[in-house]
Amino acid sequence: MSSPDHAQLRETVIRCLREFIAGSVIHNQQVADRVGLRLTDMQCINVLELMGPSTPGELARSTGLTTGGVTVMLDRLEKGGYVKRAPNPRDRRSVLVRLNPAKLKRIQAFYREVNQQMAALLDETPEPELRSMVDMFSKMNAFRANAFPA
C-alpha cells in the first residue's frame, strides 16, 4: 500500500511525463511541417532509425498502420528521397526499407539543440538515477507494447 506522499509523487510523475510527451509530439509536428512531412512519416523515420532496415510488414507492426497505409507512406517517403526500397536478401518476395543518411542528417539537425540539452541534463544525473530511469522506461515500453500492441 502506498502512502499519500507516494501517491502524490506518482501523480506528479505521470503529469510530468504527459507534459513531456505532449511537448515532444508538438515539436515533432513542427519539424514535420518544416520538412514537408506528416507526423506519421516522421515516426516511421524514427522507427527505421531505431530498428534499422525493415520490411514494410515490420513497419506496419511497429507503427500500427495497415500494410496499405505503410505502402502509401513509403511511396511519399521514397518520392521525397527519405527512404529507399531494396530487395530483401533474406526473402526475395519482400523488400527492405532503408533511410537515406543525408535526409536523416537534415531531420536530425532540428533535434540537435534539444538532444544537446538532454545530454547535458543526463550528464549531471548520478548513475544510480540513470539506471533507475532506464529500468523504468524499459518497463514502460514493455507495458506499452503489451497494452497497446501495434
Side-chain angles (χ1 to χ4, degrees), residues 26-46 76-83 99-100 102-111:
I26 290 167
H27 179 64
N28 286 333
Q29 181 65 64
Q30 291 168 341
V31 172
D33 291 344
R34 290 186 69 184
V35 298
L37 294 174
R38 298 177 184 190
L39 187 57
T40 307
D41 299 344
M42 291 290 292
Q43 290 311 306
C44 179
I45 289 169
N46 185 45
R76 279 193 309 268
L77 289 173
E78 192 166 44
K79 182 178 179 183
Y82 290 93
V83 300
L99 286 171
N100 175 340
K103 289 282 193 167
L104 179 61
K105 198 173 202 176
R106 179 175 179 240
I107 289 172
Q108 288 172 334
F110 291 99
Y111 296 92

Side-chain angles (χ1 to χ4, degrees), residues 121-133:
L121 178 64
L122 294 173
D123 284 345
E124 297 171 3
T125 305
E127 275 190 43
E129 288 182 39
L130 291 176
R131 291 183 199 290
S132 292
M133 292 167 66

